[in-house]
Amino acid sequence: MSTPSPNILLIYTGGTIGMIKDFKTGALRAFDFKNLLKRIPELQLLDCKIDTISFETPIDSSNMNPEYWVQIAEIIETNYNLFDGFVVLHGSDTMSYTASALSFMLENLAKPVVFTGSQLPIGDLRTDAKENLITSIQVASMQYANKPIIKEVCLYFEYKLYRGNRTTKINAEHFEAFASLNYPDLAESGVHLKINKTYLFKPNLKKSLIVHKNLDTNIALVKLFPGITEVLLNNICNTPNLKGIILETYGAGNCTTEKWFINLLEKTIKNGIHIINITQCSGGSVIMGHYETSEQLIKAGVISGKDLTTEAAICKLMYMLGQNISSNVFKTIYETSLRGELS
């Protein structure tokens, strides 16, 4: 008896991948995804059924925000039992943020949600859109014993499949736009599609999908630099309704030991504002207490972001603040890996 072909839902939010060029004017416009199979006839060679759904008004990813994240999550929630996998087409600029956010919002996810996009429009002669799209759909439809092989939010770009909440956009020009510097690739596409099964996320399959839609954006991101002033930091720490600060420190989590700085952090934390320490470096981890310059942060009650990307640190903070977690366990939960986002 033949097994049924997987059903894949393609969700178009906007971005370069869904654009076609008007060759008379040179302007880019979004094309109708119902005509996808006409544009990319190769999709008919894939052993799956593809349905498409588009944002009513496709948006540039620079305009992406938590309200749109909720829209994507709701599309997946509504269609979760009807489809075996989901492919989200998204502009590359904020794709790592959205993929990170969705990983936290979709608790107990047991199906693939693959984000992809492109650097060139789908109609361009040298486009990277076709390969990214075809392989993303292929990844989303991979099964073993009628069950999806991938059970997490990931991001596929230029022959590599990454865990979504481990990615960062590193290049605005190259086709290889993303990197996952602190976690190995989940798969690589060459002559064969090679899955690194050891690194795949293993969710609790006995639990049902829970979709979290409450995200709190009352947070700040502060990148330290030599000469940062007390006035500036004081203003940020005293922002009305502020609930959390992501502090991008130097190297393995180091910062100035000037008295005013440490005092300000201590006072801010005592006021109930969570401060998370992550590194400015593209790769590597915060190791608090490794140097004397970060020992004082531990005493002040700063949370270690370990090897979180900035994108994942921000999205995890928004998600956790939306959960109304009590302050005495907040630090413990933040420093624990929930969706494979930290080592």
Side-chain angles (χ1 to χ4, degrees), residues 260-299:
W260 69 261
F261 180 77
I262 302 299
N263 287 345
L264 181 56
L265 295 192
E266 283 177 345
K267 185 179 146 201
T268 305
I269 292 166
K270 279 194 181 116
N271 287 338
I273 294 167
H274 305 287
I275 299 180
I276 289 107
N277 183 6
I278 63 166
T279 176
Q280 294 181 8
C281 302
S282 305
S285 178
V286 158
I287 310 165
M288 293 211 325
H290 188 58
Y291 291 99
E292 193 189 335
T293 48
S294 63
E295 244 177 29
Q296 293 186 29
L297 298 183
I298 297 174
K299 287 178 192 156

Side-chain angles (χ1 to χ4, degrees), residues 173-193:
E173 286 186 11
H174 295 176
F175 284 146
E176 202 175 313
F178 291 88
S180 168
L181 293 155
N182 288 332
Y183 198 76
D185 311 329
L186 303 182
E188 190 161 359
S189 169
V191 175
H192 302 287
L193 194 54

Side-chain angles (χ1 to χ4, degrees), residues 284-320:
S285 178
V286 158
I287 310 165
M288 293 211 325
H290 188 58
Y291 291 99
E292 193 189 335
T293 48
S294 63
E295 244 177 29
Q296 293 186 29
L297 298 183
I298 297 174
K299 287 178 192 156
V302 171
I303 297 168
S304 173
K306 301 182 183 178
D307 62 349
L308 283 172
T309 61
T310 298
E311 294 90 336
I314 286 169
C315 296
K316 186 171 186 174
L317 185 54
M318 285 184 187
Y319 157 73
M320 282 182 59

Side-chain angles (χ1 to χ4, degrees), residues 41-299:
E42 299 93 322
L43 290 174
Q44 292 172 46
L45 299 171
L46 293 172
D47 183 23
C48 61
K49 298 188 193 85
I50 303 165
D51 266 322
T52 60
I53 189 164
S54 270
F55 270 18
E56 213 167 295
T57 309
I59 59 155
D60 187 288
S61 77
S62 307
N63 289 321
M64 188 52 76
N65 64 41
E67 285 174 25
Y68 291 120
W69 295 344
V70 171
Q71 269 189 50
I72 299 167
E74 284 177 340
I75 291 169
I76 292 168
E77 182 182 30
T78 306
N79 294 283
Y80 193 69
N81 295 323
L82 303 171
F83 291 89
D84 302 292
F86 303 86
V87 173
V88 184
L89 303 181
H90 192 292
S92 61
D93 285 350
T94 58
M95 197 190 294
S96 289
Y97 288 95
T98 306
S100 297
L102 265 286
S103 76
F104 296 114
M105 294 166 78
L106 303 172
E107 189 178 349
N108 306 325
L109 177 71
K111 294 180 181 184
V113 173
V114 185
F115 278 82
T116 195
S118 66
Q119 296 283 64
L120 287 174
I122 219 158
D124 262 36
L125 188 62
R126 294 174 48 255
T127 187
D128 53 331
K130 285 189 181 182
E131 198 283 321
N132 285 350
L133 181 56
I134 290 165
T135 310
S136 293
I137 293 170
Q138 198 172 0
V139 163
S141 59
M142 282 190 309
Q143 297 194 341
Y144 178 76
N146 283 346
K147 294 274 186 274
I149 291 174
I150 309 287
K151 304 177 187 75
E152 61 179 294
V153 177
C154 22
L155 189 156
Y156 181 82
F157 224 88
E158 189 63 8
Y159 307 114
K160 297 267 180 81
L161 181 72
Y162 309 104
R163 175 165 296 158
N165 58 31
R166 293 288 196 146
T167 60
T168 298
K169 186 174 182 186
I170 53 159
N171 203 298
E173 286 186 11
H174 295 176
F175 284 146
E176 202 175 313
F178 291 88
S180 168
L181 293 155
N182 288 332
Y183 198 76
D185 311 329
L186 303 182
E188 190 161 359
S189 169
V191 175
H192 302 287
L193 194 54
K194 183 171 163 259
I195 306 290
N196 299 322
K197 290 191 175 135
T198 320
Y199 302 120
L200 298 179
F201 189 68
K202 294 161 187 74
N204 184 336
L205 298 174
K206 290 177 182 161
K207 294 186 174 179
S208 303
L209 178 75
I210 300 166
V211 182
H212 300 279
K213 300 173 192 178
N214 197 12
L215 298 160
D216 195 324
T217 56
N218 287 299
I219 65 170
L221 171 66
V222 179
K223 185 170 187 148
L224 292 187
F225 58 89
I228 193 165
T229 64
E230 184 177 355
V231 174
L232 174 72
L233 273 180
N234 203 29
N235 280 335
I236 293 168
C237 293
N238 286 294
T239 303
N241 302 321
L242 186 70
K243 291 179 190 165
I245 298 170
I246 306 280
L247 201 60
E248 280 196 9
T249 55
Y250 312 122
N254 306 309
C255 59
T256 176
T257 51
E258 281 189 50
K259 197 112 185 82
W260 69 261
F261 180 77
I262 302 299
N263 287 345
L264 181 56
L265 295 192
E266 283 177 345
K267 185 179 146 201
T268 305
I269 292 166
K270 279 194 181 116
N271 287 338
I273 294 167
H274 305 287
I275 299 180
I276 289 107
N277 183 6
I278 63 166
T279 176
Q280 294 181 8
C281 302
S282 305
S285 178
V286 158
I287 310 165
M288 293 211 325
H290 188 58
Y291 291 99
E292 193 189 335
T293 48
S294 63
E295 244 177 29
Q296 293 186 29
L297 298 183
I298 297 174
K299 287 178 192 156

